[in-house]
Amino acid sequence: MGSGSREIYLDVKTLEFKRLHVDRPSTLIHMEDEVDRLVAAWRRERPDLDVEPLEVLSRVSRLARHLDRARRIAFSEHNLEPWEFDVLTSLRRAGAPYQLSPGQLLTQTLVTSGTMTNRIDRLTKKNLVERLPDPSDRRGVLVRLTAEGRDKADQSLAGLLAQERAILRELSTQQRGELAGLLRQLTAPFDNTPG
């Protein structure tokens, strides 16, 4: 190289990552992803069909798989299964004294009564929850987080949030808010329909 010029090295490991970044987070860069290729193939093979829904929902589906993988990583670091996290964090969100009835846990975790009984049994054996008599119902019980269960819930939630922040890192705060609003529009009818 001549005088006054400088050598430029290409870092192949970060090339893809650098292609995604710009000075202003609100700048949109068009990049092709797997869904673009899938949609293009369907448009070529089935021009008679409107495949536009795939552009949104196939991405949601793929993102859900990445999120599931990130959740499993976060939970495995704390020796938890996803279902254990769901039960523990339902109790943790209830606030002090961190207890709910089995019926309330069913509502929050969307599992059957038999499944919930099994889960409570398993979490009790791991000393993460305990069963207590319900003072307002002689035949009822309450499920309460133990101190160890509360620690596991808090630590695993922090790990999950770190994983989720990594997934969302390409979006600005404003874009995250916009996306959350759009997704709420899609999910609210399902979440507010009885049964």
Side-chain angles (χ1 to χ4, degrees), residues 125-139:
K125 287 178 185 167
K126 291 176 81 171
N127 194 36
L128 299 176
V129 302
E130 59 185 343
R131 282 188 174 94
L132 303 169
D134 185 343
S136 63
D137 179 358
R138 285 188 326 198
R139 295 176 295 158

Side-chain angles (χ1 to χ4, degrees), residues 82-91 93 100-113 115-117 119-120 123:
W83 67 265
E84 291 173 311
F85 174 84
D86 291 343
V87 174
L88 295 179
T89 55
S90 292
L91 292 166
R93 284 192 312 269
L100 294 170
S101 70
Q104 290 169 312
L105 282 170
L106 288 175
T107 301
Q108 292 197 20
T109 59
L110 302 174
V111 297
T112 66
S113 178
T115 299
M116 182 53 67
T117 299
R119 290 180 175 185
I120 293 168
L123 289 169

Side-chain angles (χ1 to χ4, degrees), residues 148-181:
E148 185 180 347
R150 182 177 170 190
D151 287 345
K152 284 261 191 199
D154 287 346
Q155 293 168 11
S156 58
L157 176 62
L160 173 62
L161 291 173
Q163 292 285 331
E164 290 182 347
R165 269 191 288 284
I167 289 173
L168 294 171
R169 73 179 169 253
E170 297 300 326
L171 300 179
S172 69
T173 302
Q174 180 180 343
Q175 288 171 324
R176 291 177 194 193
E178 290 168 2
L179 181 58

